[in-house]
Amino acid sequence: MAQVGIVMGSDSDMPVMSKAADILEELGISYEMTIISAHREPDVFFEYAKGAEDKGFKVIIAGAGMAAHLPGMCAAIFPMPVIGIPMHTTSLGGRDSLYSIVQMPSGIPVATVAINGGANAGLLAAKILATSDAELLAKLKDYSENMKNEVQKKDALLQEVGYKNYKK
């Protein structure tokens, strides 16, 4: 049974949403990924959001661009946490998506990550789940330690060779 639902409005969102899935996989968290257009197939969307709790989802990660109604509508129907990922758009650079997701009315919260913030959405979902899962919390601590070690390795190389000779 999947713990996290990942839903996007279009397959053009896949490069961003796959980053969330990659994080969940790395941490051993089960998920289900779906493409549903809240505007083009509202009946399918309502069925998805109403059935998410029965499927065992503890968190939904919803990505959307432009009017970006998908995360907010998930939050209006699904009783547990929803994380919104605003998608970059060509017309307004994703600010339209960001404002649509982050400016939810009182009582319908959507945790919102940065524009195209798929990896952070995956990590936030993991942190939510880790509040009641000690094994997952340990994995998250290891993940953070590994990030710290990577930065320290890069700094050590920079100190050794100098900035003019530094190559990633």
Side-chain angles (χ1 to χ4, degrees):
M1 186 177 292
Q3 293 179 286
V4 178
I6 299 176
V7 62
M8 66 200 92
S10 168
D11 64 346
S12 64
D13 302 334
M14 188 68 70
V16 172
M17 302 307 284
S18 66
K19 291 176 183 175
D22 291 344
I23 293 289
L24 296 175
E25 284 182 20
E26 183 177 342
L27 295 169
I29 299 169
S30 60
Y31 66 90
E32 177 184 292
M33 187 180 283
T34 309
I35 300 169
I36 300 173
S37 172
H39 297 114
R40 294 180 183 95
E41 46 185 3
D43 53 335
V44 175
F45 165 75
F46 281 111
E47 185 177 316
Y48 171 84
K50 285 181 180 180
E53 183 180 7
D54 289 339
K55 283 185 167 184
F57 294 173
K58 303 297 182 205
V59 180
I60 290 178
I61 299 172
M66 297 171 57
H69 290 123
L70 192 62
M73 289 304 297
C74 283
I77 297 168
F78 181 65
M80 289 184 261
V82 174
I83 302 167
I85 305 175
M87 295 295 155
H88 183 272
T89 58
T90 54
S91 57
L92 296 173
R95 289 183 306 278
D96 47 348
S97 312
L98 174 64
Y99 294 156
S100 288
I101 296 171
V102 80
Q103 292 290 348
M104 291 301 298
S106 182
I108 313 294
V110 174
T112 309
V113 297
I115 295 167
N116 284 357
N120 272 352
L123 285 166
L124 181 55
K127 288 182 175 201
I128 290 167
L129 295 171
T131 62
S132 61
D133 184 334
E135 184 179 328
L136 179 55
L137 181 58
K139 289 179 184 180
L140 281 166
K141 288 177 180 180
D142 288 343
Y143 184 91
S144 294
E145 186 67 23
N146 290 337
M147 285 193 311
K148 175 182 138 186
N149 292 338
E150 286 300 313
V151 172
Q152 290 175 343
K153 285 180 194 175
K154 291 174 184 177
D155 181 57
L157 179 60
L158 174 63
Q159 300 311 313
E160 180 182 327
V161 302
Y163 82 91
K164 289 184 180 182
N165 297 315
Y166 181 82
K167 293 186 176 40
K168 285 185 173 180

